[in-house]
Amino acid sequence: MSIWEYANPRKFLQSSERVMPVLWLSSGVLISVGLIWGFFFTPDDYRQGSTVKIIFLHVPAALMAINAWFMMLVASLIWVVRRHHVSALAAKAAAPVGIVMTLIALATGAIWGQPMWGTWWAWDPRLTSFLVLFLFYLGYIALWEAIDNPDTAADLTAILCLVGTVFAVLSRYAVNFWNQGLHQGASLSLDEKENVADAFSNPLYVCMAGFALFFLALVFYRTGTEIRARRIKALLARQRQEA
Amino acid sequence: MWPDLGKYGETVLSAYAASLLLLGVLVVLTLWRGKRVRRIMEDLEQRMRRDG
């Protein structure tokens, strides 16, 4: 069986409807367990106090904000190369999820930053590149809505996605590239000295897995909706032609 | 059971509230639009079958 079979909208809908209940359930369980564990059963940090509990939302949301863009990039490239409509629609479906993740990362970061840095916002490389990523998400969604022809919209948004990838990469590595600003480095690292303590990292891993599955569940569901919306357009066009 | 959040209680709770609200709105809008589009498509297909 080839992965390209899922480029058939009917096959995609059938398969995704089988997988989605598992994704919804497992993501709900993992996010609940991770957040309850992180909120109720982790100690305060010796410097950040109880604000460290915000990490369980901030880090998974930021991770998914960046990864959603990369998923959109892969789907857009598949559209550009192989012209599979499902991949273009999957990229379209992922954008609103990605923008909400970006918004959560920005909001929780600002709320945390106020007491810790003494400011809601700083023009720090990582914060700024994240804000630009948010604007790219806005532009991407607006471009899909602005163009009537779905194939033209898919082509142009694929180009925008390619350009925006620079900022998705910058968002991830801005701290390493510039080595300045207020934002700290990666919370999770293979280097034990840099990594956060196990008391925080274990529930954080659970939250990250939960957010990843939640993202997949939403994207599968939303792609199904986009496939149906496209079919409605096609049926209406056929009806107009026949009339 | 409820953790002592100290002087940062408001900060932590507002971060959780904002995030859960955004996630909730995303899920509700996703499901609402999904159901609406599915209903429209099924109605349209039924009508087209009926009308030949």
Side-chain angles (χ1 to χ4, degrees), chain A residues 167-197:
Chain A
F167 286 92
V169 173
L170 283 183
S171 307
R172 174 69 185 84
Y173 295 106
V175 177
N176 310 28
F177 288 162
W178 283 284
N179 200 25
Q180 63 177 38
L182 287 170
H183 202 289
Q184 62 269 43
S187 303
L188 298 168
S189 164
L190 292 175
D191 183 348
E192 271 187 23
K193 282 181 195 159
E194 282 182 32
N195 208 5
V196 296

Side-chain angles (χ1 to χ4, degrees), chain A residues 61-75:
Chain A
L63 181 80
M64 289 323 297
I66 298 168
N67 286 350
W69 193 274
F70 286 123
M71 178 254 143
M72 286 158 58
L73 173 71
V74 172

Side-chain angles (χ1 to χ4, degrees), chain B:
Chain B
M1 176 70 182
W2 190 261
D4 177 18
L5 300 173
K7 60 180 177 176
Y8 299 122
E10 207 174 298
T11 303
V12 176
L13 291 178
S14 55
Y16 273 74
S19 305
L20 296 178
L21 180 74
L22 283 168
L23 291 177
V25 168
L26 175 67
V27 170
V28 168
L29 287 180
T30 297
L31 296 179
W32 174 75
R33 180 165 180 259
K35 285 198 165 66
R36 202 174 122 252
V37 167
R38 188 190 282 254
R39 198 182 58 238
I40 294 171
M41 191 191 78
E42 284 168 357
D43 287 351
L44 196 62
E45 282 178 337
Q46 212 170 22
R47 205 169 57 213
M48 289 184 86
R49 265 198 302 272
R50 203 178 49 224
D51 299 343

Side-chain angles (χ1 to χ4, degrees), chain A residues 220-238:
Chain A
F220 276 140
Y221 188 90
R222 297 181 68 95
T223 306
T225 303
E226 294 302 336
I227 289 170
R228 291 187 185 96
R230 193 182 159 95
R231 177 156 170 77
I232 291 171
K233 263 191 178 177
L235 288 174
L236 288 173
R238 196 198 302 173

Side-chain angles (χ1 to χ4, degrees), chain A residues 36-106:
Chain A
I36 290 169
W37 184 358
F39 188 85
F40 290 99
F41 303 107
T42 55
D44 287 356
D45 180 69
Y46 74 103
R47 273 184 304 189
Q48 303 176 45
S50 62
T51 62
V52 72
K53 294 180 193 299
I54 296 174
I55 199 178
F56 305 112
L57 288 162
H58 179 74
V59 171
L63 181 80
M64 289 323 297
I66 298 168
N67 286 350
W69 193 274
F70 286 123
M71 178 254 143
M72 286 158 58
L73 173 71
V74 172
S76 300
L77 289 176
I78 291 172
W79 160 254
V80 169
V81 176
R82 298 189 68 124
R83 313 303 280 180
H84 290 316
H85 290 111
V86 171
S87 64
L89 295 176
K92 182 185 182 187
V97 186
I99 200 172
V100 169
M101 294 297 172
T102 313
L103 210 52
I104 291 174
L106 285 169

Side-chain angles (χ1 to χ4, degrees), chain A residues 54 57-59 61-63 65 98-114 117 119-135 137-138 171 183, chain B residues 15 18-19 22:
Chain A
I54 296 174
L57 288 162
H58 179 74
V59 171
L63 181 80
I99 200 172
V100 169
M101 294 297 172
T102 313
L103 210 52
I104 291 174
L106 285 169
T108 51
I111 293 169
W112 178 89
Q114 213 289 323
W117 294 340
T119 179
W120 299 96
W121 180 261
W123 294 102
D124 158 285
R126 180 171 272 187
L127 272 67
T128 308
S129 54
F130 237 87
L131 180 66
V132 176
L133 182 65
F134 174 73
L135 297 175
Y137 269 120
L138 271 185
S171 307
H183 202 289
Chain B
S19 305
L22 283 168

